[in-house]
């Protein structure tokens, strides 16, 4: 399933809270794909975004799992069109968004930082100090074989006495979203109980959500 509709990204609960304290993330590395279909990228680093076809087909692809032993299952409390998932321990909830983000910034990394600040509620200074590189899983819908590449993202991790949370964001500045009707900004908002490190959940989320990119 590829979602093409856009939504208003806001951290669950109304955005940033004053007592949320950013801290350093420990991003893990995805394994690049050894092959990709013709015209489809094996990976999309921030610099690679400049080569993205402005009319590329982009969107989230989700695997809605229902097995009792699934690492993540669909969150029944989420409104239609706003996909989110809860882990098997019921300690973390992952929220996914895609939307159109207008920015004058022309490089993907800086634009992603700008978008990360908006969706996380962090200040520009906090982004400069605490944001680190991460990734989303990459796939293509022009081939039945799953891709094993990555889409570079910018992540920020923070915690309160009640929760720990991570927000990851990526903007494709070269994508002509007004013509293609593909969203150019993607984010994950992962909220976990206090004491649960969101970074330990990211690898398992690769099986649930991937960014589709086809040129």
């Amino acid at each position: 399933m590829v979602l093409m509709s856009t939504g208003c990204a806001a951290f669950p609960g109304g955005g940033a809270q004053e007592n949320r304290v950013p801290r350093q993330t420990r991003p893990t590395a995805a394994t690049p794909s050894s092959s990709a279909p013709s015209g489809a990228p094996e990976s999309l680093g921030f610099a690679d975004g400049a080569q993205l076809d402005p009319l590329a087909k982009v969107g989230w692809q989700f695997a809605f799992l229902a097995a009792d032993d699934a690492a993540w299952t669909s969150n029944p409390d989420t409104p239609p069109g706003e996909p989110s998932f809860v882990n098997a321990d019921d300690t973390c909830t992952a929220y996914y968004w895609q939307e159109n983000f207008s920015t004058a910034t022309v490089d993907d990394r800086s634009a992603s930082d700008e978008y990360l600040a908006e969706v996380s509620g962090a200040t520009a200074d906090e982004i400069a100090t605490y944001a680190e590189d991460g990734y989303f899983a990459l796939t293509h819908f022009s081939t039945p074989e799953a891709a094993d590449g990555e889409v570079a993202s910018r992540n920020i991790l923070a915690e309160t006495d009640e929760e720990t949370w991570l927000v990851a964001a990526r903007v494709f500045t070269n994508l002509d979203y007004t013509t293609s009707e593909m969203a150019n900004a993607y984010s994950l908002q992962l909220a976990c109980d206090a004491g649960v490190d969101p970074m330990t959940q990211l690898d398992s989320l690769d099986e649930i959500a991937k960014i589709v990119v086809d040129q």
Side-chain angles (χ1 to χ4, degrees), residues 9-144:
F11 192 82
Q17 300 175 5
E18 291 183 0
N19 61 338
R20 282 180 176 154
V21 180
R23 58 186 176 90
Q24 293 297 114
T25 64
R26 300 185 302 281
T28 56
T31 303
S33 174
S34 59
S35 62
S38 176
E42 294 184 8
S43 63
L44 270 172
F46 292 114
D48 297 328
Q51 307 304 317
L52 184 68
D53 187 328
L55 300 180
K57 297 176 182 178
V58 183
W60 280 118
Q61 183 183 80
F62 298 111
F64 292 91
L65 304 180
D68 291 340
D69 59 349
W72 294 85
T73 55
S74 182
N75 182 6
D77 298 327
T78 305
E82 299 179 8
S84 70
F85 302 85
V86 293
N87 65 353
D89 296 332
D90 198 26
T91 56
C92 296
T93 305
Y95 303 83
Y96 289 91
W97 301 89
Q98 61 187 50
E99 62 180 333
N100 296 336
F101 181 66
S102 178
T103 176
T105 304
V106 295
D107 70 280
D108 284 11
R109 193 176 192 274
S110 297
S112 296
D113 274 353
E114 184 182 343
Y115 181 56
L116 181 61
E118 178 172 302
V119 297
S120 69
T123 66
D125 286 344
E126 288 172 335
I127 295 295
T129 301
Y130 296 105
E132 296 186 353
D133 291 351
Y135 75 93
F136 294 121
L138 171 69
T139 193
H140 315 288
F141 53 65
S142 63
T143 175

Side-chain angles (χ1 to χ4, degrees), residues 54 100-103 172 174-184:
N100 296 336
F101 181 66
S102 178
T103 176
F172 301 105
N174 208 46
L175 189 66
D176 182 3
Y177 62 85
T178 59
T179 301
S180 69
E181 298 184 356
M182 300 289 110
N184 72 328

